[in-house]
Amino acid sequence: MFERLWSSSFVKRIRRILLSADALIDSSVFDSGRRSRELYENFSTFMERFHVSGFARLGVELACETLTWGVIGLIAMAALASSAFQMTSEGDWLKQTDLAVTFLDRYGNEVGQRGIKHDDAVPLEEYPDYLIKAVLATEDRRFYEHFGIDVIGTARALTVNARSSGVVQGGSSITQQLAKNLFLSNERTITRKINEAFLALWLEHHLTKREILKLYLDRVYMGGGAFGIQAAAEFYFGKSVKDVTLAEAAMLAGLFKAPTKYAPHNNLPAARARANDVLNNLVDAGFMTESQVIAAQKSPATPVDRQRQDSPDWYLDFAYGEIRKLAAAGKLGDNRVLAVRTALDSNVQKHAEEVIEKNLREQGRSYHVKQAAMVVMEPDGAVRAIIGGRDYGASQFNRATDGSRQPGSSFKPYVYLTALMTGRFKPTTIVTDRPTCIGNYCVHNYSGGYAGSMPLAMALAKSLNTVAIQLSQAIGNGDSRIGRAKIIETCRKLGISTPLEDTPSLPVGQSDVILIEHSSAYAAFVNGGKRVIPFAAVEIRNRQGDLLYRHDRDAPPQKQVLPYEKVVDLAGMMKKVVEEGTGRRAQLGEGIDVIGKTGTTNGYKDAWFCGYSGTMGGCVWYGNDDNEPMNNMTGGTLPAGTWHDVMAYAHQGVALKPIVGLTTQARPEAATVSENGAKPLELGAPQRPATLSKGAAQALESIEKKARSAATGRQSSLVSPATIAQTRGGDFPTIGAVQ
């Protein structure tokens, strides 16, 4: 049957079809291989025409490598340029910067201006020709020749600076300086310089050279609180920029490099010497001849008789940034000329600047410290004063609002608050200061030793690093990573926006924070746990006097972000830091409760004190811009002393407010470690009250009786302290009095 089926016509037909298919596949594969070989041979023959050898081949290889790296470079440049070009994404970017703002302090006194002067801006065509030439000869001689970045000028500046072992010439073009003024801060970082370069190219593409020069002259800081060369001409010489002489133009052009150093109302000899350099630059650049400038050299400019005026420039920069944000958000309508009443306390601002300058002048050398910053703020976020550095003219970078530094132990309140929020800790919980490690990371205390067992509140007062690390473990139920994540979450609720690195050292403050954010986070500790957003503008009015914005009406209300009871517990603990711990120098005297915390980073690179009364407070920072270590400065020394000196002045004549939930009588009751062999509680263990044994109590009573008896004997044989005090005309501490 199988043979009949196999020999049937149907099967034969199927066999022929399969055989044909097999043949077709074989022939197709063969033909494909043959055609592929022919194509390869033809391609090889074609490419042989381009075969090179010797030096020609070397050139081809270099060209290929150049092309490859060029493509890689273009991709890298596009990535780097993205952040810069995002700043110009708004179509009305120039209009947003085109504000004219007059600032008043909290008492209604005018304290300064920011933005362009709309009412009296002078067209570039009306500027004296020699003034324009003086600026170009000094700041950017190749301004009309380069494309935004002066490659030749930068190379020349680098060469001169290398020979001089210092910064003698600047390499930034006028376009780059304008880009910084319009879009960037004064922070000295590589990222800022990259953004500055790309923004300069962008400006050159969108604006003419004359527009760039005009914008630069209208916005550059010229010292004395004057922004723009027109405002500077009025301030220093009492006239419009249209009417300045050659000698006055040279003095104005000399201010660009260091406006405070060369400001004629501060240092007239230095200003005249700088003006003479500008006149020489005019001759060197070929813009003028020696005979044209000799009269100005012999008769230098004399400014109007004006007393040195201190402008709260750090504060005004912060306030102007706030106004720009409100304008960009559409909350000010189309109004561009504004009058803003701020929360600035001019007296506190000036006093804080004087205290910091005095401390740096008298103790800066011994401590090897050159910079400081401070913020004074009310618990609702109203900023009373900002000091962003030592000299605004030398560097406009605001270290209080833009700089980020490691907070050291001033970060620990966030750790302790997170521990209290777990419900397993109280201020009286007994903890143990002992050797502590997480993996390869082992933490040590500043003193180098270990203090043993004590209440949690005392551990914060003593600023023990080991306890902070142990708390991070306990918060995460043994997993420090979970604990640190919860600590970071607490910081975010309080408004800390900087990236916090999740490392074992985070709980002891080895991750950067911004001073003003640090200050606002601490404010939540005295207002009961409400989120604090720093603000300067109290009222904003337009040219006609119409009220456009009022903070108490238009700003979002404060939100409760932390449990009230836990914040009150933390405030009681932080009060002990000032009363008994590392922050004793910050005490403001009887009747004013103060909470606070010191901070010192590894290598003494940063020193902090952050503290508040119920009325106001803030943070103080000392350090160096180049991260050079200081000479053994801790947060309890100069920072705490500075905070005290400023706040003691600031609290005069103001209504004192209590810290929310904290009264003078309500003190955290410290637990006593038992002497009857009771083991101190480890972190996270259930809390039990510790008591004295009967024998220990009797011993203490005996010691007290002997002390009283000895005191009575001395008083009977000696002249009373009160009598001595009356004789000397001063106070004398009596026995047993608190000193």
Side-chain angles (χ1 to χ4, degrees):
M1 179 179 177
F2 179 76
E3 292 179 355
R4 287 198 302 272
L5 181 62
W6 184 256
S7 59
S8 63
S9 59
F10 176 76
V11 173
K12 289 180 179 180
R13 189 178 299 110
I14 295 298
R15 289 169 59 189
R16 285 196 297 271
I17 292 173
L18 293 175
L19 183 61
S20 299
D22 180 68
L24 179 61
I25 293 172
D26 290 343
S27 61
S28 298
V29 171
F30 177 79
D31 290 341
S32 297
R34 178 176 55 80
R35 284 194 295 269
S36 298
R37 286 195 301 272
E38 290 176 353
L39 287 173
Y40 178 76
E41 290 173 357
N42 293 336
F43 177 76
S44 299
T45 302
F46 176 78
M47 294 303 295
E48 282 293 330
R49 302 176 184 177
F50 302 99
H51 178 72
V52 293
S53 59
F55 288 106
R57 181 170 183 176
L58 178 62
V60 171
E61 293 292 339
L62 290 175
C64 291
E65 290 297 324
T66 302
L67 179 62
T68 301
W69 286 106
V71 172
I72 295 174
L74 288 174
I75 295 174
M77 287 183 64
L80 292 172
S82 60
S83 62
F85 293 152
Q86 284 177 359
M87 303 176 190
T88 63
S89 58
E90 296 292 337
D92 59 344
W93 62 272
L94 186 57
K95 184 179 179 181
Q96 291 180 11
T97 65
D98 202 23
L99 294 169
V101 186
T102 299
F103 288 102
L104 313 175
D105 66 9
R106 66 191 305 116
Y107 307 112
N109 303 311
E110 183 175 336
V111 291
Q113 298 178 341
R114 284 294 185 270
I116 189 171
K117 295 174 71 69
H118 283 245
D119 298 331
D120 54 2
V122 179
L124 194 63
E125 293 77 12
E126 298 183 18
Y127 280 50
D129 181 64
Y130 46 75
L131 174 60
I132 301 297
K133 290 179 177 178
V135 173
L136 295 179
T138 305
E139 295 297 310
D140 191 355
R141 297 182 186 181
R142 295 171 44 82
F143 174 70
Y144 284 102
E145 301 172 17
H146 61 66
F147 53 89
I149 301 173
D150 186 4
V151 178
I152 297 177
T154 301
R156 181 179 62 250
L158 291 174
T159 302
V160 173
N161 293 338
R163 291 175 179 174
S164 304
S165 300
V167 180
V168 178
Q169 292 186 7
S172 294
S173 66
I174 283 179
T175 312
Q176 288 176 274
Q177 295 180 55
L178 176 62
K180 181 186 69 174
N181 293 338
L182 289 179
F183 300 105
L184 306 170
S185 70
N186 290 280
E187 186 176 8
R188 297 178 180 178
T189 63
I190 295 177
T191 302
R192 197 266 287 172
K193 292 298 292 183
I194 292 174
N195 287 335
E196 179 185 289
F198 283 113
L199 288 169
L201 298 176
W202 190 89
L203 287 172
E204 289 279 345
H205 179 70
H206 287 80
L207 301 175
T208 66
K209 286 287 187 179
R210 294 181 65 82
E211 290 173 334
I212 291 173
L213 182 59
K214 183 62 171 64
L215 285 171
Y216 176 70
L217 295 175
D218 279 342
R219 285 163 171 77
V220 66
Y221 180 66
M222 303 289 285
F227 277 78
I229 202 164
Q230 165 68 8
E234 292 178 348
F235 180 78
Y236 294 118
F237 303 115
K239 61 178 69 174
S240 171
V241 70
K242 298 183 293 185
D243 304 321
V244 296
T245 65
L246 175 59
E248 293 168 344
M251 190 170 285
L252 289 173
L255 293 173
F256 291 87
K257 181 179 181 180
T260 299
K261 180 179 179 181
Y262 297 121
H265 72 303
N266 288 342
N267 192 339
L268 184 57
R272 286 177 169 172
R274 177 62 177 164
N276 190 63
D277 291 338
V278 173
L279 294 171
N280 290 332
N281 289 338
L282 280 167
V283 177
D284 294 340
F287 293 155
M288 299 185 75
T289 64
E290 291 185 5
S291 61
Q292 290 175 309
V293 303
I294 190 169
Q297 290 177 326
K298 290 182 177 180
S299 301
T302 300
V304 296
D305 186 12
R306 190 186 300 275
Q307 294 294 323
R308 177 170 179 170
Q309 297 183 3
D310 295 316
S311 175
D313 292 310
W314 307 111
Y315 192 101
L316 297 183
D317 285 350
F318 169 73
Y320 185 58
E322 181 182 350
I323 300 305
R324 290 179 61 179
K325 291 178 181 177
L326 291 173
K331 294 187 177 182
L332 306 179
D334 294 329
N335 295 279
R336 317 309 294 173
V337 181
L338 307 168
V340 179
R341 185 168 69 88
T342 67
L344 170 69
D345 189 325
S346 298
N347 295 325
V348 174
Q349 174 78 27
K350 183 178 180 180
H351 184 73
E353 292 174 353
E354 292 174 349
V355 169
I356 287 177
E357 174 59 29
K358 177 177 180 290
N359 288 338
L360 288 174
R361 184 177 61 253
E362 295 179 355
Q363 304 184 59
R365 181 171 302 223
S366 60
Y367 275 119
H368 187 64
V369 60
K370 299 177 182 178
Q371 282 293 351
M374 184 178 187
V375 167
V376 180
M377 185 187 303
E378 297 177 29
D380 65 350
V383 180
R384 282 180 172 250
I386 294 177
I387 296 87
R390 185 175 188 178
D391 186 349
Y392 184 86
S395 169
Q396 290 87 55
F397 175 60
N398 196 330
R399 294 155 189 83
T401 61
D402 300 323
S404 56
R405 304 290 295 223
Q406 290 186 3
S409 294
S410 65
F411 186 84
K412 290 175 183 174
Y414 309 136
V415 180
Y416 280 73
L417 178 59
T418 308
L420 294 172
M421 288 165 57
T422 65
R424 297 160 51 198
F425 296 93
K426 295 181 180 179
T428 54
T429 302
I430 301 299
V431 295
T432 304
D433 177 20
R434 54 181 170 78
T436 303
C437 295
I438 297 179
N440 296 327
Y441 173 73
C442 294
V443 66
H444 304 281
N445 294 318
Y446 175 77
S447 63
Y450 302 98
S453 300
M454 66 191 70
L456 189 67
M458 185 55 64
L460 179 61
K462 291 181 176 292
S463 194
L464 300 176
N465 293 333
T466 59
V467 174
I469 297 298
Q470 293 175 49
L471 284 173
S472 70
Q473 294 173 307
I475 293 168
N477 294 320
D479 190 334
S480 60
R481 290 175 297 181
I482 297 177
R484 292 194 299 270
K486 292 182 178 180
I487 294 169
I488 293 174
E489 182 182 357
T490 299
C491 293
R492 297 292 180 241
K493 290 179 179 179
L494 289 168
I496 302 295
S497 65
T498 52
L500 298 174
E501 298 182 16
D502 187 8
T503 61
S505 60
L506 172 71
V508 294
Q510 293 191 13
S511 191
D512 292 353
V513 298
I514 297 173
L515 189 146
I516 195 168
E517 291 184 355
H518 208 26
S519 301
S520 61
Y522 266 64
F525 301 153
V526 295
N527 69 18
K530 295 179 180 179
R531 169 78 177 269
V532 174
I533 299 177
F535 68 92
V538 177
E539 289 183 354
I540 303 176
R541 297 180 182 272
N542 61 13
R543 189 201 302 259
Q544 291 75 32
D546 300 327
L547 182 64
L548 305 176
Y549 175 89
R550 196 172 70 199
H551 183 270
D552 58 357
R553 181 192 69 187
D554 302 316
Q558 287 184 290
K559 294 182 179 179
Q560 189 78 30
V561 294
L562 298 171
Y564 173 86
E565 297 80 5
K566 305 305 179 184
V567 172
V568 172
D569 285 343
L570 178 68
M573 295 168 64
M574 294 179 68
K575 185 180 176 185
K576 293 182 73 69
V577 175
V578 178
E579 292 178 344
E580 306 174 30
T582 57
R584 286 189 291 271
R585 290 193 183 186
Q587 296 177 15
L588 294 180
E590 186 176 356
I592 304 179
D593 287 337
V594 174
I595 69 166
K597 186 69 187 75
T598 58
T600 310
T601 61
N602 287 339
Y604 299 100
K605 294 182 179 180
D606 303 274
W608 296 74
F609 181 81
C610 295
Y612 270 86
S613 71
T615 306
M616 70 183 80
C619 290
V620 179
W621 166 85
Y622 279 87
N624 295 310
D625 287 341
D626 56 4
N627 277 319
E628 277 289 316
M630 295 178 288
N631 186 19
N632 296 327
M633 182 190 289
T634 64
T637 57
L638 209 54
T642 300
W643 191 95
H644 167 271
D645 293 346
V646 174
M647 292 301 168
Y649 176 87
H651 280 73
Q652 295 177 9
V654 299
L656 299 180
K657 301 176 183 178
I659 296 173
V660 174
L662 188 65
T663 62
T664 304
Q665 292 76 23
R667 301 172 182 265
E669 185 178 349
T672 307
V673 181
S674 69
E675 297 183 6
N676 58 3
K679 182 180 179 181
L681 297 176
E682 298 295 334
L683 286 174
Q687 183 182 3
R688 296 183 178 84
T691 59
L692 288 173
S693 65
K694 182 178 180 181
Q698 292 174 350
L700 288 176
E701 290 178 0
S702 176
I703 293 172
E704 182 182 10
K705 290 178 181 179
K706 290 181 180 179
R708 289 178 178 176
S709 176
T712 303
R714 285 195 299 271
Q715 290 177 354
S716 64
S717 60
L718 299 176
V719 179
S720 69
T723 303
I724 297 175
Q726 293 173 0
T727 303
R728 295 181 179 178
D731 294 332
F732 193 91
T734 58
I735 296 175
V738 179
Q739 301 185 34

